[in-house]
PDB file of all heavy atoms in Angstrom:
ATOM      1  N   VAL A   3      61.346  94.520 114.875  1.00 96.00           N
ATOM      2  CA  VAL A   3      61.768  93.125 114.947  1.00 96.00           C
ATOM      3  C   VAL A   3      61.512  92.462 113.596  1.00 96.00           C
ATOM      4  O   VAL A   3      60.452  92.646 112.997  1.00 96.00           O
ATOM      5  CB  VAL A   3      61.006  92.378 116.063  1.00 96.00           C
ATOM      6  CG1 VAL A   3      61.324  90.900 116.044  1.00 96.00           C
ATOM      7  CG2 VAL A   3      61.339  92.980 117.418  1.00 96.00           C
ATOM      8  N   VAL A   5      62.285  88.585 111.343  1.00 97.00           N
ATOM      9  CA  VAL A   5      62.539  87.162 111.567  1.00 97.00           C
ATOM     10  C   VAL A   5      63.225  86.583 110.337  1.00 97.00           C
ATOM     11  O   VAL A   5      62.712  86.684 109.215  1.00 97.00           O
ATOM     12  CB  VAL A   5      61.229  86.385 111.857  1.00 97.00           C
ATOM     13  CG1 VAL A   5      61.532  84.913 112.084  1.00 97.00           C
ATOM     14  CG2 VAL A   5      60.511  86.969 113.065  1.00 97.00           C
ATOM     15  N   GLY A   8      64.641  79.850 107.638  1.00 93.00           N
ATOM     16  CA  GLY A   8      65.298  78.965 106.689  1.00 93.00           C
ATOM     17  C   GLY A   8      64.489  77.697 106.518  1.00 93.00           C
ATOM     18  O   GLY A   8      63.937  77.166 107.484  1.00 93.00           O
ATOM     19  N   ALA A  12      62.826  72.218  97.608  1.00 92.00           N
ATOM     20  CA  ALA A  12      62.963  71.010  96.800  1.00 92.00           C
ATOM     21  C   ALA A  12      63.344  71.373  95.363  1.00 92.00           C
ATOM     22  O   ALA A  12      63.229  72.530  94.949  1.00 92.00           O
ATOM     23  CB  ALA A  12      61.653  70.223  96.816  1.00 92.00           C
ATOM     24  N   GLY A  15      61.028  73.428  93.326  1.00 87.00           N
ATOM     25  CA  GLY A  15      60.787  74.797  93.768  1.00 87.00           C
ATOM     26  C   GLY A  15      59.913  74.937  94.993  1.00 87.00           C
ATOM     27  O   GLY A  15      59.784  76.028  95.547  1.00 87.00           O
ATOM     28  N   GLU A  23      64.002  79.618 112.797  1.00 93.00           N
ATOM     29  CA  GLU A  23      63.583  81.012 112.781  1.00 93.00           C
ATOM     30  C   GLU A  23      64.436  81.748 113.805  1.00 93.00           C
ATOM     31  O   GLU A  23      64.616  81.251 114.913  1.00 93.00           O
ATOM     32  CB  GLU A  23      62.106  81.158 113.154  1.00 93.00           C
ATOM     33  CG  GLU A  23      61.164  80.521 112.167  1.00 93.00           C
ATOM     34  CD  GLU A  23      59.699  80.794 112.480  1.00 93.00           C
ATOM     35  OE1 GLU A  23      59.409  81.582 113.409  1.00 93.00           O
ATOM     36  OE2 GLU A  23      58.848  80.227 111.799  1.00 93.00           O
ATOM     37  N   ALA A  34      68.370  95.225 108.856  1.00 96.00           N
ATOM     38  CA  ALA A  34      68.011  93.833 109.128  1.00 96.00           C
ATOM     39  C   ALA A  34      68.568  92.914 108.037  1.00 96.00           C
ATOM     40  O   ALA A  34      69.065  91.825 108.335  1.00 96.00           O
ATOM     41  CB  ALA A  34      66.502  93.685 109.235  1.00 96.00           C
ATOM     42  N   GLU A  72      77.120  80.752  98.975  1.00 50.00           N
ATOM     43  CA  GLU A  72      78.352  79.973  99.208  1.00 50.00           C
ATOM     44  C   GLU A  72      79.278  79.996  98.019  1.00 50.00           C
ATOM     45  O   GLU A  72      79.019  80.370  96.972  1.00 50.00           O
ATOM     46  CB  GLU A  72      77.966  78.542  99.585  1.00 50.00           C
ATOM     47  CG  GLU A  72      77.210  78.550 100.899  1.00 50.00           C
ATOM     48  CD  GLU A  72      76.592  77.215 101.241  1.00 50.00           C
ATOM     49  OE1 GLU A  72      76.505  76.313 100.374  1.00 50.00           O
ATOM     50  OE2 GLU A  72      76.184  77.053 102.379  1.00 50.00           O
TER      51      GLU A  72
END
Side-chain angles (χ1 to χ4, degrees):
V3 174
V5 180
E23 295 186 6
E72 296 171 346

